[in-house]
Amino acid sequence: MSTIRSVSVWPWRVAVVFTALLFLVALRAIFIVAPVEAQMGIVQKIFYFHVPSAYAMYVGFFACAVGSAGYLLRAGATEARRRAWDAWAVAGAEVGLLFCAIVLLTGPLWARKAWGVWWTWDPRLTTTLLAGMIFAAYLALRSFGVAGEAEKRFAAGLALVGIADLPVIHYSVQRWRGQHPTVISGRGGGLEPDMLVALGWNFAAFTLLVGLLLWLRASLEQTRQVVLGLELRRFETSEFGQNLTSQEGL
Amino acid sequence: MKRTLFAICWVSCWSVNVWGACRVAAQSAPENTQGTAPTQTNDEAETVEDSRATAFQSVRGPVKEQIAGGPLLLSAYLIVWLLLCGYLWRLGSLQQRIRDDVRRLQSQGLAAGVDNGAVASSVVST
């Protein structure tokens, strides 16, 4: 029988407070410590949360792929373990898509100033949009009410297809001609020390944030699935459910 | 309705994939229509690399921007915080819905041992 076991909430509260403090430090580093960039001006400060958001997107989609692979490969595991893999997959897709939306919405605001256009079909932009659409399709598939085994398996396969796009996003600026900056890659000219400090704080803050969101969403998804299972069992044991089952000959 | 939404997402996803791949291939193709071998020199290759930003440098002295960056920066921050707050609100409403369901199941004796105050951090075991 499925049960819902509660754990203490104080680690969660400590993590939330610590993340909020880290974001305050990161904001101070962006607007007070980091200098204004010479060519683009103040709009370059979008960079400090655009890049960590892209990193958080990678983390989310990777968690989705790992959860999906676990769900598919551990078919013989207990129900609770498979439910946990599946919950991490759903959480990863949702959180990854959130940060993908941030990347795709803040990037054009920077591009308007830097490139003079809101959008261009640059390889990195195009492949990032593609990843967002693949994982949006994953979530659309999972939102079919009470997802059955077939929907879950099909969605897991879709996530594994989608993860193949992440290396393409990462290496697109190196392999193909494009306009996207490469300041923190091996071939870039790098950042000034104060800019690097601001970027480092933001990476730390976004790492904690994406971890917290994944943790919370996966916990909620596991609980939701247990509740759905109990509801389904209650329906099956009800008089109406038994009549329906006998009419269908099941 | 949801199946239609999924079908639209799926079709548009692969349409963008094919179209984007064609665009990338067209941009990456050498501009050589005479049938001769490509003759790109090192200088030309460096020009291509130089067209992409590879470093950010701090401003020195007073400068005036042609396109105001302030509103763009403000818009970007608003988007980030609105999306994050919106997602937290969604998680909160999902948590509340689950908590209500757990209370209802508890009252029917179907979910024994559930602590309503800690649904957010609950873990599930079988």
Side-chain angles (χ1 to χ4, degrees), chain A residues 3-4 25 86 131 152 156 160 166-167 206 222 243 250:
Chain A
T3 57
I4 303 174
V25 175
D86 186 54
K152 287 179 180 176
L160 292 178
L166 296 196
F206 273 82
Q222 289 187 70
N243 286 339
L250 297 174

Side-chain angles (χ1 to χ4, degrees), chain B residues 104-124:
Chain B
R104 187 165 41 78
L105 290 170
Q106 262 187 326
S107 67
Q108 295 165 352
L110 288 170
V114 177
D115 177 9
N116 287 322
V119 171
S121 61
S122 60
V123 292
V124 179

Side-chain angles (χ1 to χ4, degrees), chain A residues 32-116:
Chain A
I32 296 175
V33 176
V36 176
E37 208 274 331
Q39 298 294 322
M40 286 174 283
I42 197 172
V43 80
Q44 183 266 343
K45 290 181 185 293
I46 290 176
F47 163 82
Y48 298 112
F49 51 84
H50 176 81
V51 176
S53 295
Y55 153 75
M57 174 191 78
Y58 285 152
V59 172
F61 289 161
F62 186 72
C64 178
V66 170
S68 298
Y71 183 79
L72 288 175
L73 295 175
R74 304 295 295 273
T78 60
E79 184 191 347
R81 194 166 289 276
R82 294 197 78 208
R83 193 188 297 125
W85 285 114
D86 186 54
W88 277 98
V90 171
E94 212 171 279
V95 173
L97 195 60
L98 168 74
F99 287 105
C100 184
I102 290 176
V103 169
L104 289 174
L105 289 172
T106 56
L109 293 167
W110 175 87
R112 177 71 183 92
K113 171 78 177 177
W115 298 339

